[in-house]
PDB file of all heavy atoms in Angstrom:
ATOM      1  N   SER C 117     -24.291  42.993 -43.186  1.00 95.00           N
ATOM      2  CA  SER C 117     -23.482  41.918 -43.739  1.00 95.00           C
ATOM      3  C   SER C 117     -23.821  41.756 -45.207  1.00 95.00           C
ATOM      4  O   SER C 117     -24.896  42.154 -45.650  1.00 95.00           O
ATOM      5  CB  SER C 117     -23.710  40.607 -42.981  1.00 95.00           C
ATOM      6  OG  SER C 117     -24.936  40.052 -43.335  1.00 95.00           O
ATOM      7  N   SER C 204     -22.886  18.198 -47.411  1.00 96.00           N
ATOM      8  CA  SER C 204     -23.054  17.436 -46.149  1.00 96.00           C
ATOM      9  C   SER C 204     -23.182  18.399 -44.939  1.00 96.00           C
ATOM     10  O   SER C 204     -23.236  19.624 -45.109  1.00 96.00           O
ATOM     11  CB  SER C 204     -21.839  16.514 -45.944  1.00 96.00           C
ATOM     12  OG  SER C 204     -21.730  15.642 -47.043  1.00 96.00           O
ATOM     13  N   VAL C 250     -18.784  30.915 -20.493  1.00 92.00           N
ATOM     14  CA  VAL C 250     -17.803  29.879 -20.804  1.00 92.00           C
ATOM     15  C   VAL C 250     -17.887  29.568 -22.302  1.00 92.00           C
ATOM     16  O   VAL C 250     -18.842  28.917 -22.727  1.00 92.00           O
ATOM     17  CB  VAL C 250     -18.101  28.601 -19.987  1.00 92.00           C
ATOM     18  CG1 VAL C 250     -17.071  27.539 -20.279  1.00 92.00           C
ATOM     19  CG2 VAL C 250     -18.149  28.910 -18.506  1.00 92.00           C
ATOM     20  N   MET C 254     -14.457  30.224 -28.770  1.00 96.00           N
ATOM     21  CA  MET C 254     -14.381  31.622 -29.157  1.00 96.00           C
ATOM     22  C   MET C 254     -13.079  32.230 -28.681  1.00 96.00           C
ATOM     23  O   MET C 254     -12.404  32.991 -29.419  1.00 96.00           O
ATOM     24  CB  MET C 254     -15.565  32.414 -28.593  1.00 96.00           C
ATOM     25  CG  MET C 254     -16.826  32.203 -29.418  1.00 96.00           C
ATOM     26  SD  MET C 254     -18.340  32.951 -28.680  1.00 96.00           S
ATOM     27  CE  MET C 254     -17.882  34.674 -28.605  1.00 96.00           C
ATOM     28  N   ASN C 285       1.920  24.485 -40.341  1.00 94.00           N
ATOM     29  CA  ASN C 285       1.886  23.060 -40.734  1.00 94.00           C
ATOM     30  C   ASN C 285       2.725  22.774 -41.985  1.00 94.00           C
ATOM     31  O   ASN C 285       2.879  21.601 -42.371  1.00 94.00           O
ATOM     32  CB  ASN C 285       0.431  22.629 -41.003  1.00 94.00           C
ATOM     33  CG  ASN C 285      -0.335  22.414 -39.755  1.00 94.00           C
ATOM     34  OD1 ASN C 285       0.214  21.864 -38.772  1.00 94.00           O
ATOM     35  ND2 ASN C 285      -1.586  22.826 -39.727  1.00 94.00           N
TER      36      ASN C 285
ATOM     37  N   SER D 117     -23.243  10.779 -46.146  1.00 95.00           N
ATOM     38  CA  SER D 117     -23.835  11.838 -45.334  1.00 95.00           C
ATOM     39  C   SER D 117     -25.202  12.143 -45.880  1.00 95.00           C
ATOM     40  O   SER D 117     -25.503  11.818 -47.036  1.00 95.00           O
ATOM     41  CB  SER D 117     -22.959  13.080 -45.347  1.00 95.00           C
ATOM     42  OG  SER D 117     -23.102  13.753 -46.567  1.00 95.00           O
ATOM     43  N   GLU D 182     -21.897  28.551 -28.654  1.00 98.00           N
ATOM     44  CA  GLU D 182     -21.188  29.607 -27.911  1.00 98.00           C
ATOM     45  C   GLU D 182     -21.705  30.971 -28.370  1.00 98.00           C
ATOM     46  O   GLU D 182     -21.970  31.856 -27.539  1.00 98.00           O
ATOM     47  CB  GLU D 182     -19.687  29.489 -28.189  1.00 98.00           C
ATOM     48  CG  GLU D 182     -19.086  28.237 -27.598  1.00 98.00           C
ATOM     49  CD  GLU D 182     -17.549  28.246 -27.556  1.00 98.00           C
ATOM     50  OE1 GLU D 182     -16.947  29.272 -27.947  1.00 98.00           O
ATOM     51  OE2 GLU D 182     -16.986  27.213 -27.151  1.00 98.00           O
ATOM     52  N   SER D 204     -26.075  35.643 -43.548  1.00 96.00           N
ATOM     53  CA  SER D 204     -24.765  36.297 -43.470  1.00 96.00           C
ATOM     54  C   SER D 204     -23.621  35.287 -43.497  1.00 96.00           C
ATOM     55  O   SER D 204     -23.845  34.090 -43.654  1.00 96.00           O
ATOM     56  CB  SER D 204     -24.674  37.156 -42.204  1.00 96.00           C
ATOM     57  OG  SER D 204     -25.717  38.103 -42.183  1.00 96.00           O
ATOM     58  N   VAL D 250      -0.874  20.812 -36.585  1.00 92.00           N
ATOM     59  CA  VAL D 250      -1.279  21.806 -35.581  1.00 92.00           C
ATOM     60  C   VAL D 250      -2.722  22.215 -35.867  1.00 92.00           C
ATOM     61  O   VAL D 250      -2.971  22.962 -36.825  1.00 92.00           O
ATOM     62  CB  VAL D 250      -0.356  23.058 -35.674  1.00 92.00           C
ATOM     63  CG1 VAL D 250      -0.743  24.074 -34.607  1.00 92.00           C
ATOM     64  CG2 VAL D 250       1.104  22.620 -35.511  1.00 92.00           C
ATOM     65  N   ASN D 285     -23.115  27.335 -18.523  1.00 94.00           N
ATOM     66  CA  ASN D 285     -23.418  28.776 -18.507  1.00 94.00           C
ATOM     67  C   ASN D 285     -24.747  29.129 -17.842  1.00 94.00           C
ATOM     68  O   ASN D 285     -25.071  30.290 -17.659  1.00 94.00           O
ATOM     69  CB  ASN D 285     -23.454  29.327 -19.939  1.00 94.00           C
ATOM     70  CG  ASN D 285     -22.054  29.500 -20.490  1.00 94.00           C
ATOM     71  OD1 ASN D 285     -21.165  29.953 -19.806  1.00 94.00           O
ATOM     72  ND2 ASN D 285     -21.873  29.135 -21.770  1.00 94.00           N
TER      73      ASN D 285
END
Side-chain angles (χ1 to χ4, degrees):
Chain C
S117 74
S204 302
V250 181
M254 281 173 60
N285 284 320
Chain D
S117 74
E182 295 192 4
S204 302
V250 181
N285 284 320

